Structures are given as C-alpha cells and as structure tokens.
C-alpha cells in the first residue's frame, strides 16, 4: 500500500466516523455506583439523598473591589455576587458560593455552562477568569429530620444552625475526604463532592444514614 493510499484511507475513516457518535458523553461521577436498598419496608425514611446530576459548575475570579466587575457579573447572573466570606446566594436558576475574596463558584442548570461562560466573557472586561469545572465535581443534596445527625457523624465542623446558618458555605474535612458544605434549610444541606471521591462519599453517606432510614435518588 502506498503512502498516498494509506493517508486517503485514514481520511475516509475519519469522515465516516466524524458524526454525533464521536461527541463527548457527559456522565455523572456517580453513574457507576450501585445503590443498595437500606431502608426496611417498615422503616420511615428520615433522610433523603439526591445527586443533582449534570449541573453546570463554573469558577469565576475577579476583583471584588472593582465596581464594574461586580455589576457586570450581576447583570449576567441576575443575582449579586456574595461578598461576605462563607456566604452564598441563590435564585431560581443559579447558586453562587463565595470561595475566597476573589473567587466564586457558580452552579447552574444542566448544559448552562457554555451560555453562562460566554455571557460573562462578553460583559466583563479587565482582569478576570472563568473556568468550567463541571466535569470535576458533583452536587448532592441531603435533607430530612436527621440530616444534621448524619453530618455530625461525618465531619468535625460544628453544623448546629446557630453556628452554621442557612446559606453559609464552608470547605471542611468530611469522612477523611473534603467537601464544600452549604446549609439550604433548617434540615437541608448541599455537598459538593470531587469526582475522584464521589463514589466513596456516596457510599459513606448511605451507610451513615442506615440507622435513620434513607430514601435516595441518583
């Protein structure tokens, strides 16, 4: 076979297989985790766990002292950036977590990442950065009358509502790993899990919930 024939053969195969089948396939970090039924039929679940699959996660960095940056981000997001350490804000479409004095995590609905990033780049100027980290982490909700008790078994951080009020965000050690933890209600929380630890932490949560009865969705 000549070199020209070989090159043409490769080009032909690339053309044949360059359709939608070659597009990236988005999978949840927990897509492979086997969920075992833990709650007995006679036991009423008091903890609910759900992975909010496919959410858009973007990290925004910029100068919080720059009024143009702050107002530009608000114009795009429809909600002001949280400027107080350890706080978060939320509207119908987005959650925004304070991460550091010049960094925020924006969580939107599935497949919003590109549109949010594009809009931010179009409206912001000067020194800023937007990074899509959707593939590296996932969002899990934990709720129910014993949700706080599950957290108490998993982290040394004081999760009592007096110390950890609604909308507070903290990065903390959790089951020998690390999560970002946010309180969304009196007995409702969100956990951001890194992809590499997601299955381990998911199984930890299921085990920690056994004594309380657990209902879950993935």
């Amino acid at each position: 076979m000549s070199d020209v024939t070989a090159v043409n053969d490769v080009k032909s195969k690339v053309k044949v297989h360059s359709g939608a089948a070659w597009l990236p396939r988005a999978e949840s970090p927990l897509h492979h985790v086997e969920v075992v039924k833990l709650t007995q039929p006679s036991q009423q679940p008091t903890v609910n766990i759900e992975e909010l699959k496919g959410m858009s996660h973007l990290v925004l960095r910029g100068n919080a002292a720059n009024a143009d940056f702050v107002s530009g981000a608000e114009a795009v997001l429809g909600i002001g950036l949280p400027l107080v350490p350890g706080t978060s804000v939320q509207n119908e479409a987005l959650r925004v977590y304070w991460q550091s004095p010049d960094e925020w995590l924006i969580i939107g609905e599935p497949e919003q990442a590109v549109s949010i990033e594009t809009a931010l780049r179009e409206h912001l100027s000067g020194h800023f950065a937007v990074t899509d980290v959707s593939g590296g982490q996932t969002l899990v909700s934990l709720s129910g009358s014993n949700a706080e008790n599950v957290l108490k078994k998993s982290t040394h951080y004081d999760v009592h509502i007096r110390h950890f009020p609604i909308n507070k965000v903290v990065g903390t050690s959790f089951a020998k790993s690390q999560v970002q933890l946010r309180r969304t209600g009196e007995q409702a929380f969100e956990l951001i899990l890194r992809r590499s630890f997601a299955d381990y932490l998911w199984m930890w949560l299921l085990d920690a919930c056994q004594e309380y009865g657990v209902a879950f969705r993935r």
Side-chain angles (χ1 to χ4, degrees), residues 3-160:
D3 291 342
V4 174
T5 303
V7 170
N8 289 336
D9 185 49
V10 170
K11 288 182 177 179
S12 176
K13 290 179 179 179
V14 170
K15 184 176 182 179
V16 169
H17 296 291
S18 61
W22 285 84
L23 292 176
R25 182 177 63 184
E27 286 185 332
S28 154
L30 296 171
H31 75 278
H32 63 290
V33 173
E34 180 181 356
V35 178
V36 180
K37 186 174 179 60
L38 298 175
T39 302
Q40 299 299 321
S42 60
Q43 188 178 22
Q44 182 66 33
T46 61
V47 182
N48 300 289
I49 308 176
E50 180 180 3
E51 182 197 11
L52 305 180
K53 295 184 288 187
M55 302 293 283
S56 299
H57 296 239
L58 296 106
V59 172
L60 172 64
R61 302 202 67 171
N63 183 0
N66 184 326
D68 290 338
F69 168 77
V70 173
S71 62
E74 182 175 358
V76 172
L77 303 175
I79 190 170
L81 296 175
L83 302 179
V84 177
T87 60
S88 67
V89 294
Q90 181 173 351
N91 60 19
E92 291 184 1
L94 299 172
R95 302 163 171 82
V96 184
Y97 292 26
W98 184 94
Q99 303 279 272
S100 74
D102 67 348
E103 182 177 342
W104 297 265
L105 175 64
I106 303 166
I107 301 180
E109 295 300 313
E111 300 181 359
Q112 276 192 317
V114 172
S115 61
I116 295 172
E117 180 176 356
T118 301
L120 286 170
R121 293 189 183 281
E122 289 176 349
H123 285 78
L124 300 180
S125 59
H127 295 287
F128 72 94
V130 186
T131 307
D132 185 351
V133 296
S134 305
Q137 55 195 36
T138 191
L139 183 65
V140 170
S141 70
L142 186 74
S143 61
S145 58
N146 276 302
E148 186 176 295
N149 287 330
V150 172
L151 296 181
K152 288 177 180 178
K153 299 199 307 184
S154 306
T155 179
H156 68 276
Y157 189 80
D158 183 1
V159 294
H160 192 282

